[in-house]
Amino acid sequence: MKQDVTLLDGSIGQELVIRSAEPPTPLWSTSVMADHPQLLRELHDAYFNAGATVATTNSYPVVADRLRAAGIEDQLDALLYLAGGTAAAARDAYGAGRVAGALGPLAASYRPDLCPPAAEAAKAYRPTVAGLAPFVDLFIAETMSSVDQADGALRAIARSGKPAWLALSVMDEDGTRLRSGEPLEEVAPIVVRHAPQAVLINCTRPESVAPALEILRGFGTPFGAFANGFVRITEAFLQDRPTVDALQDRVDLTPAAYADFAMGWVDQGASIVGGCCEVGPAHIAELAMRLRTAGHRIV
């Protein structure tokens, strides 16, 4: 069935680290963005030129608690201005598209046990939401790995008055469970309560996405996915303040191979697709070509 499909961009933080050739840090690409802002603009431009219709801000780890751990909390406003402003400038130069303000997990990715309760998390996100709001068309809470973690991020976005998308991360070997171990279907009450405009699966292996989408389909909300290109999330990466070199990228996930997965998600009814870590502009260009060839309209 032919349908309208929103094409997200791919990896932002990881792609910046790769392009900079600088050693990764616990804050991923934050220092790269500050030291080489032109690389970020070039990356947003590359994704628009590849066919993406959404630019995601490079703000995934730019929250006060993560910056505090690195001793740079005083740079929060400046970093958000840079992340939001660069994405918006790329969108304006391209003449179309939307900007999605990225909210990553508090404390650490894939560790919802370290995240404060939803009410506290909502307060912790407020400065990031406020700093990005002038630049973005919507917010996307990414890599939410527990029901409570998703609740906290959506509470924060609600205060902005901007549309919210919720992106959930499921287990690498079991797409029916969040990384917390909770059944994915237990997010349904949170979706009803906050009414995000879309619910997505992100930052898991592509193989785990299809079973997750079967569950999201039952939520009655537009759904989709953007998977990563890591072999798996390792135990080493779950330790205190890890860097991405604790993860191994896949050699088999070529643009064509990734597009095969993503087109399968579209066949399941996904109306939003894109890429996460290790999925770059070449993958998005291939996916754009496949969507057009299949008669879908990219919006």
Side-chain angles (χ1 to χ4, degrees):
M1 182 177 69
K2 306 300 184 289
Q3 59 180 313
D4 289 351
V5 178
T6 296
L7 183 55
L8 303 174
D9 49 15
S11 168
I12 298 295
Q14 178 64 359
E15 186 72 15
L16 278 180
V17 171
I18 293 170
R19 290 179 177 220
S20 73
E22 294 184 358
T25 74
L27 286 178
W28 289 58
S29 61
T30 305
S31 61
V32 176
M33 176 174 66
D35 295 340
H36 308 287
Q38 76 282 0
L39 290 180
L40 178 58
R41 173 57 191 272
E42 290 169 5
L43 181 57
H44 285 311
D45 289 344
Y47 280 124
F48 276 128
N49 290 332
T53 56
V54 176
T56 307
T57 61
N58 186 48
S59 54
Y60 179 91
V62 186
V63 287
D65 73 325
R66 291 200 183 199
L67 298 186
R68 188 179 305 119
I72 58 171
E73 185 180 2
D74 61 331
Q75 298 180 32
L76 176 65
D77 290 342
L79 290 169
L80 293 172
Y81 185 88
L82 182 56
T86 304
R91 174 203 57 201
D92 294 346
Y94 187 67
R98 289 178 284 176
V99 173
L103 295 184
L106 299 173
S109 297
Y110 323 117
R111 292 293 308 274
D113 57 306
L114 300 179
C115 188
E120 294 179 29
K123 292 179 182 178
Y125 278 122
R126 284 179 190 172
T128 296
V129 170
L132 289 174
F135 304 103
V136 307
D137 300 294
L138 61 103
F139 280 97
I140 180 167
E142 294 190 7
T143 322
M144 298 292 113
S145 300
S146 75
V147 174
D148 195 60
Q149 197 171 52
D151 187 16
L154 289 176
R155 290 190 195 192
I157 295 171
R159 292 176 61 91
S160 74
K162 301 274 185 174
W165 290 0
L166 173 63
L168 302 154
S169 187
V170 295
M171 291 181 169
D172 288 332
E173 307 302 334
D174 185 357
T176 70
R177 291 187 174 272
L178 296 165
R179 291 192 184 273
S180 62
E182 299 165 291
L184 178 59
E185 62 193 15
E186 291 186 3
V187 178
I190 301 299
V191 173
V192 172
R193 183 182 311 155
H194 295 289
Q197 289 190 350
V199 184
L200 313 168
I201 298 300
N202 87 296
C203 216
T204 189
R205 300 173 74 243
E207 290 86 350
S208 294
V209 170
L213 294 187
E214 288 303 307
I215 295 171
L216 295 192
R217 187 204 301 270
F219 290 1
T221 300
F223 64 91
F226 51 115
N228 68 32
F230 293 130
V231 173
R232 62 183 299 273
I233 302 304
T234 63
E235 290 300 318
F237 194 78
L238 299 179
Q239 304 308 309
D240 185 47
R241 291 180 58 76
T243 58
V244 75
D245 51 7
L247 301 174
Q248 179 183 353
D249 60 301
R250 292 171 63 160
V251 297
D252 63 324
L253 203 63
T254 62
Y258 188 80
D260 287 342
F261 281 112
M263 292 303 292
W265 308 334
V266 173
D267 289 342
Q268 286 182 269
S271 58
I272 303 171
V273 292
C276 204
C277 307
E278 300 293 338
V279 176
H283 295 81
I284 299 304
E286 174 71 16
L287 182 49
M289 183 273 291
R290 294 279 195 96
L291 288 168
R292 294 190 183 103
T293 299
H296 301 295
R297 187 168 70 109
I298 300 174
V299 298

